[in-house]
């Protein structure tokens, strides 16, 4: 049975987004158009290519023949590349299970956890329907290492629509057809870094006298394929989140409930490096460059001050003894004990 339906045509930039939720899944349909203005984009500059020298030297640049500002097909202009609408669909499991025996998982995996996605390189989906990719672009370096400047944490994929096609006399049209927008077709907008123009980020940054709440737990802005939410920067009290190698941790959220969740950050991996908990094994999920977070020094990372009773109650839904099987960081608040001298 459908529990709720959220439809949104924001009217800003042509963004169109629909979400339905039932007892088990979150269903999302989106056109991948941002709900804010985005300038024509070149990752390095007009007249330049799409890869940094480090990628070219390593032979990992898949766009050697492209020049930004040239006619590269649909979505390319004299001033840079612009997004092209494309329909994407997702079915994301509604409630993630942090005690799964196959954790950690690849951050892009949908099938193993029972989810579905029509866009291959997406790891999570933002509240406006825009897909969130990993910390690196098409090569092996992160967005910051490459020096790419992004609008609200996002940019468009390189324009790859100019593929040679031939006419099939039997069916009367060109075949194969041009590829859809995305990694193999016209430019598609997506996120890598934190989308700081979205409300969950502006809620903390817009100024305390203007209603900002920088000292409360951040609000969620995305849903990971494994069913866990992705939150903006700050934790309870405005504290920095203490996260595991995947980028997630156990702790209270903006609702006061204790659960496993991810946090965005300004450094790599920006959101997720894997599907957690990491259990100290994030490196085994990486292909090529290792983008794992340093972690908290233990298998399980719990935000300091988290109520142990709430944590164990949350985990008891799957395995009441799961927490005791691993090392855990020191998250319990210690009461200050003041010793007074004996009066004689």
């Amino acid at each position: 049975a459908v529990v709720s339906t959220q439809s949104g045509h924001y009217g800003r930039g042509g963004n169109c987004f629909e979400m339905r939720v039932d007892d088990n899944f979150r269903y999302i349909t989106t056109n991948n158009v941002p709900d804010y203005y985005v300038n024509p984009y070149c990752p390095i500059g007009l007249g330049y290519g799409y890869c940094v020298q480090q990628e070219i030297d390593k032979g990992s640049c898949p766009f050697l023949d492209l020049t930004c500002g040239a006619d590269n097909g649909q979505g390319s202009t004299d001033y840079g590349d612009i997004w092209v609408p494309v329909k994407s669909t997702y079915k994301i499991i509604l409630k993630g299970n942090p005690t799964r025996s196959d954790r950690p998982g690849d951050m892009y995996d949908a099938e193993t956890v029972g989810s579905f996605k029509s866009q291959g390189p997406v790891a999570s989906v933002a509240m406006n329907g825009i897909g969130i990719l990993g910390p690196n672009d098409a090569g092996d370096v992160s967005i910051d290492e490459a020096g790419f400047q992004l609008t609200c944490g996002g940019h468009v994929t390189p324009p790859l629509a100019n593929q040679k096609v031939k006419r099939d006399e039997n069916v009367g049209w060109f075949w194969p057809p041009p590829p859809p927008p995305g990694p193999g077709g016209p430019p598609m907008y997506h996120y890598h870094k934190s989308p700081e123009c979205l409300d969950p980020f502006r809620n903390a940054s817009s100024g305390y006298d203007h209603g900002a709440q920088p000292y409360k737990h951040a609000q969620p802005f995305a849903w990971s394929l494994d069913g866990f939410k992705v939150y903006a920067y700050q934790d309870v009290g405005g504290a920095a989140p203490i996260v595991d190698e995947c980028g997630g941790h156990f702790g209270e959220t903006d609702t006061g409930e204790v659960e496993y969740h991810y946090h965005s950050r300004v450094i790599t991996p920006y959101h997720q490096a894997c599907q957690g908990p990491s259990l100290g094994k994030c490196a085994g999920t990486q292909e090529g460059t290792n983008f794992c977070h340093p972690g908290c020094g233990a298998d399980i990372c719990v935000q300091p001050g988290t109520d142990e009773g709430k944590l164990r109650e949350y985990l008891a839904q799957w395995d009441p003894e799961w927490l005791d099987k691993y090392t855990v960081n020191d998250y319990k608040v210690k009461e200050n004990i003041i010793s007074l001298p004996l009066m004689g």
Side-chain angles (χ1 to χ4, degrees), residues 190-215:
H190 60 281
Y191 294 126
H192 286 284
K193 299 185 68 176
S194 305
E196 293 183 332
C197 66
L198 300 188
D199 287 343
F201 290 90
R202 296 171 60 199
N203 179 57
S205 64
S206 60
Y208 191 77
D209 288 343
H210 294 264
Q213 298 178 321
Y215 302 111

Side-chain angles (χ1 to χ4, degrees), residues 210-267:
H210 294 264
Q213 298 178 321
Y215 302 111
K216 291 187 177 181
H217 192 286
Q219 298 171 335
F221 72 92
W223 303 279
S224 174
L225 295 173
D226 58 2
F228 300 113
K229 295 176 182 177
V230 188
Y231 289 77
Y233 295 136
Q234 74 273 13
D235 208 276
V236 175
I242 305 300
V243 298
D244 61 23
E245 295 173 350
C246 289
H249 70 169
F250 293 93
E252 284 192 7
T253 65
D254 59 326
T255 65
E257 296 178 284
V258 171
E259 58 187 34
Y260 186 80
H261 59 281
Y262 301 103
H263 275 275
S264 187
R265 64 193 57 76
V266 297
I267 60 173

Side-chain angles (χ1 to χ4, degrees), residues 5 42 50 70 122 158 171 195 242 246 249 270:
T5 299
C42 287
Y50 289 80
V122 170
V171 296
I242 305 300
C246 289
H249 70 169
Y270 306 129

Side-chain angles (χ1 to χ4, degrees), residues 8 16 55 95 139 161 167 230 252 309 333 340:
C16 189
E55 295 171 307
K95 189 172 185 178
R167 185 174 179 80
V230 188
E252 284 192 7
V333 176
L340 298 176

Side-chain angles (χ1 to χ4, degrees), residues 7 24 84 86 104 125 167 190 197 200 202 238-239 279 304 330 336:
S7 297
N24 300 304
V84 175
V86 59
V125 183
R167 185 174 179 80
H190 60 281
C197 66
R202 296 171 60 199
L279 307 179
D330 187 7
N336 292 323

Side-chain angles (χ1 to χ4, degrees), residues 9-337:
H9 190 295
Y10 294 91
R12 298 170 58 187
N15 171 275
C16 189
F17 166 80
E18 180 184 66
M19 180 173 69
R20 295 183 299 110
V21 177
D22 63 18
D23 294 332
N24 300 304
F25 294 99
R26 187 183 308 276
Y27 305 89
I28 296 173
T29 302
T30 174
N31 66 352
N32 290 287
V33 172
D35 50 338
Y36 45 83
Y37 177 74
V38 178
N39 282 313
Y41 176 80
C42 287
I44 300 174
L46 275 173
Y48 291 88
Y50 289 80
C51 296
V52 296
Q53 193 61 45
Q54 180 179 343
E55 295 171 307
I56 296 173
D57 292 342
K58 292 178 61 177
S60 61
C61 174
F63 315 118
L64 286 174
D65 298 329
L66 285 182
T67 300
C68 196
D71 181 6
N72 297 310
Q74 186 183 17
S76 62
T77 76
D78 294 340
Y79 305 101
D81 304 326
I82 58 176
W83 51 257
V84 175
V86 59
K87 180 180 178 180
S88 295
T89 57
Y90 302 91
K91 183 180 79 170
I92 300 176
I93 188 170
L94 197 59
K95 189 172 185 178
N97 176 1
T99 70
R100 290 176 60 108
S101 61
D102 57 3
R103 302 295 85 186
D106 188 295
M107 64 177 162
Y108 295 116
D109 182 37
E111 184 177 358
T112 300
V113 293
S115 296
F116 167 82
K117 58 178 178 175
S118 62
Q119 288 293 340
V122 170
S124 51
V125 183
M127 59 187 291
N128 58 359
I130 302 298
I132 302 176
L133 279 61
N136 59 313
D137 208 23
D140 294 327
V141 298
S142 71
I143 294 297
D144 282 314
E145 187 176 1
F148 295 160
Q149 301 300 306
L150 309 185
T151 299
C152 191
H155 66 172
V156 293
T157 54
L160 300 174
N162 271 358
Q163 293 193 356
K164 294 182 179 180
V165 295
K166 61 183 179 179
R167 185 174 179 80
D168 190 321
E169 299 297 338
N170 295 321
V171 296
W173 56 66
F174 286 94
W175 192 264
M188 183 183 74
Y189 190 80
H190 60 281
Y191 294 126
H192 286 284
K193 299 185 68 176
S194 305
E196 293 183 332
C197 66
L198 300 188
D199 287 343
F201 290 90
R202 296 171 60 199
N203 179 57
S205 64
S206 60
Y208 191 77
D209 288 343
H210 294 264
Q213 298 178 321
Y215 302 111
K216 291 187 177 181
H217 192 286
Q219 298 171 335
F221 72 92
W223 303 279
S224 174
L225 295 173
D226 58 2
F228 300 113
K229 295 176 182 177
V230 188
Y231 289 77
Y233 295 136
Q234 74 273 13
D235 208 276
V236 175
I242 305 300
V243 298
D244 61 23
E245 295 173 350
C246 289
H249 70 169
F250 293 93
E252 284 192 7
T253 65
D254 59 326
T255 65
E257 296 178 284
V258 171
E259 58 187 34
Y260 186 80
H261 59 281
Y262 301 103
H263 275 275
S264 187
R265 64 193 57 76
V266 297
I267 60 173
T268 56
Y270 306 129
H271 313 286
Q272 297 168 253
C274 54
Q275 293 178 358
S278 64
L279 307 179
K281 303 175 183 178
C282 175
T285 69
Q286 304 296 289
E287 296 182 10
T289 304
N290 186 337
F291 289 110
C292 296
H293 191 279
C296 66
D299 296 332
I300 304 297
C301 298
V302 182
Q303 184 68 13
T306 298
D307 185 281
E308 182 180 7
K310 288 185 177 180
L311 174 60
R312 291 190 176 275
E313 181 181 1
Y314 167 69
L315 293 170
Q317 299 174 85
W318 304 282
D319 183 352
E321 299 178 354
W322 182 82
L323 191 65
D324 302 316
K325 301 174 183 178
Y326 301 97
T327 61
V328 184
N329 66 310
D330 187 7
Y331 67 94
K332 300 176 183 178
V333 176
K334 299 178 177 63
E335 296 182 4
N336 292 323
I337 300 177

